[in-house]
Amino acid sequence: MSSSLVAYDDSDPEAETEKTEVPSTSSRQTSLPSSSVKPVQYFAPGSLRTKSTYEMQPTENTDDFGISIVCEDLPEHYAPNNNTDLTSPYCRRAYSSHTALCVPYKNYEQTSSSSRNSGNGTSQKRVHKDSPTTIKGIRPYIPKRLRQENSSTCGKKESDPGENSNCDVKQDVSGEQTVRKISEIIKPYLGSKYKLTEIPKSLVFHVFKHSSPVNEIQWCPVREQSHMLLSASMDKTIKIWDAVDTGCCLKTFSCHSCAVRAAQWSSCGRRILSGGFDSMLHLTDVETGKQIFSSKNEFRISALKFHPTDSNIFVCGGFSPEVKAWDIRTCKVTRVYKAAVQQTLDILFLTEGKEFLTSTDAVSRDSADRTIIAWDFQSAAKISNQIFHERYTCPSLALHPRESVFVAQTNGNYMALFSSQRPYRINKKKRYEGHKVEGFAVCCEFSPDGTLLVTGSSDGKVFFYNYHTARIIRTLSAHKEACMSAKFHPVLPSLLATCDWTGEIKIWQ
């Protein structure tokens, strides 16, 4: 904004010597009052050599000593070089009953021409209208409903590929042929059906590249590329290993700013879905490292699963009473499943994906009401929350590959067997016990043929149970710290991967 200085009777004498003559008209000379008032002078801020002088005109119905002096702002070329604001353009100052009204310069021509064209000796009343201006630094108000909708949409739009479009990828092995290759060890088993599972005895590979606990491991579901093993750790990274041929780390993805709690392969084996304690969801391309899907969630994520029949849909839960279903194609939440709980521990889809189960931390004093909840996927309605009545939380759920049953890992140091058909009754005759959980999120899993049930233990051991008899077949002293997970290979009948709380991953055969 431009500013001006006004010279009065007590101004600097040097400024008085530089006055310019005021253009006078007969009409204005006759209209001046008897009291002599000197004209108002403008001085350009920062320089007193140039100035503009305009006339004073008294308004009607003024007192003898009340004179209205109108001062217009300087033109734009008189703007000062510095940023010092001497006078505000919309301020009023009172100097002994003299009112100086500062008006923007762009309105001067209209007001001066109207006063000059008027035949009367008195000036007409001048009306100034402020033009609407936008003030920098002020954000517009956004309603709460729009803020909630924006938080549930994608944090990264496809039209903005410049920011966080790629994941930080470290390729430990040169070339990408190691990802696409077919292992020579797996090739003989691709044309035949899965044989009887054998219990591993010897250690094949021992890798120790994670600096924090490994929360989850998973073999690639594509049979031809099942030499790759996925691991998610609390050290904020996701790693892919060649766990069949070399035992080397192929790639490392650093997409999250906090611990990665859950990760899963897509059905095509080309993408990895991950969620962590930074409340972020990422779908990353394995070969390029680009983030196909990325979104900021409203809560920290502890569990996520792809829909078994639609690879574009996944369900995630965490430190919230809500479980959300996302569509990757639209980057939006399609369904919300609400329950009176504080945290979702695990998610398990049943056959064909029409129903799914969630294990929660809700435990009452006498029973574990709402510990396991069955949901209808399409309507988001609760089917049952009276499935498990013992007061233990269930950190892990596993579905049998051939029969209509599932098991729940409990903090009571045993695994309970349930029917996967309504009303999801518990089998009281079978209980798989002998291992220890002790508050760890220990995972359990069936073998691909369904004959064995394997689980980790808080003492570092791996327990193999006979599914039909619920007896312990063998224990394997795999780790020194708590063994978090044990996974059978989907093709090789005697290959097992384990991980522990210190970040170790071991391959057994």
Side-chain angles (χ1 to χ4, degrees), residues 184-444:
E184 296 296 332
I185 301 176
I186 298 176
K187 277 184 180 181
Y189 295 89
L190 295 178
S192 60
K193 293 184 179 179
Y194 188 88
K195 297 180 181 181
L196 183 67
T197 303
E198 299 177 4
I199 298 177
K201 299 178 180 179
S202 59
L203 179 65
V204 180
F205 298 117
H206 178 201
V207 295
F208 189 77
K209 283 195 174 183
H210 283 292
S211 59
S212 295
V214 179
N215 292 315
E216 190 166 351
I217 54 174
Q218 185 187 15
W219 294 98
C220 182
V222 181
R223 293 171 58 89
E224 291 78 10
Q225 299 176 0
S226 57
H227 65 283
M228 294 187 296
L229 179 69
L230 167 70
S231 64
S233 174
M234 301 286 280
D235 61 1
K236 310 176 187 179
T237 63
I238 301 169
K239 292 182 181 292
I240 298 178
W241 309 83
D242 185 354
V244 175
D245 294 325
T246 62
C248 297
C249 180
L250 302 180
K251 288 190 177 182
T252 301
F253 301 96
S254 301
C255 303
H256 295 270
S257 59
C258 292
V260 184
R261 183 62 182 85
Q264 190 179 19
W265 287 95
S266 63
S267 58
C268 62
R270 299 177 181 177
R271 303 171 182 177
I272 295 174
L273 178 66
S274 60
F277 288 167
D278 57 354
S279 304
M280 291 298 297
L281 289 166
H282 294 299
L283 183 65
T284 308
D285 187 271
V286 176
E287 294 184 4
T288 62
K290 293 182 179 180
Q291 295 178 8
I292 304 170
F293 168 87
S294 181
S295 177
K296 178 75 173 180
N297 207 22
E298 296 177 355
F299 51 83
R300 292 180 294 171
I301 300 166
S302 59
L304 51 84
K305 288 292 189 300
F306 273 108
H307 195 274
T309 59
D310 190 354
S311 59
N312 295 313
I313 304 295
F314 71 90
V315 177
C316 72
F319 292 81
S320 171
E322 295 181 350
V323 176
K324 295 182 178 182
W326 288 80
D327 193 333
I328 298 173
R329 295 163 294 187
T330 60
C331 300
K332 291 183 180 180
V333 177
T334 57
R335 296 173 185 86
V336 178
Y337 309 86
K338 296 183 180 180
V341 297
Q342 294 182 354
Q343 182 183 357
T344 301
L345 302 178
D346 197 11
I347 300 172
L348 176 66
F349 273 99
L350 300 181
T351 307
E352 298 180 357
K354 296 180 180 179
E355 301 171 1
F356 70 94
L357 306 172
T358 58
S359 63
T360 68
D361 65 342
V363 177
S364 60
R365 186 172 183 178
D366 299 327
S367 65
D369 183 23
R370 305 185 307 276
T371 301
I372 299 177
I373 304 175
W375 301 88
D376 184 87
F377 178 75
Q378 293 294 336
S379 63
K382 290 182 184 177
I383 299 175
S384 176
N385 60 355
Q386 303 288 332
I387 299 175
F388 186 56
H389 295 280
E390 299 183 21
R391 53 190 187 94
Y392 296 110
T393 57
C394 302
S396 176
L397 304 173
L399 183 66
H400 196 278
R402 298 181 180 180
E403 298 183 12
S404 299
V405 294
F406 71 92
V407 294
Q409 180 82 269
T410 70
N411 275 305
N413 298 330
Y414 67 90
M415 290 180 288
L417 185 66
F418 299 85
S419 171
S420 60
Q421 304 291 332
R422 299 182 188 181
Y424 315 105
R425 292 179 179 175
I426 187 173
N427 190 337
K428 297 182 180 179
K429 297 180 181 180
K430 289 184 181 180
R431 177 176 286 190
Y432 307 88
E433 54 185 350
H435 61 283
K436 297 179 181 180
V437 180
E438 297 179 348
F440 289 95
V442 178
C443 297
C444 58

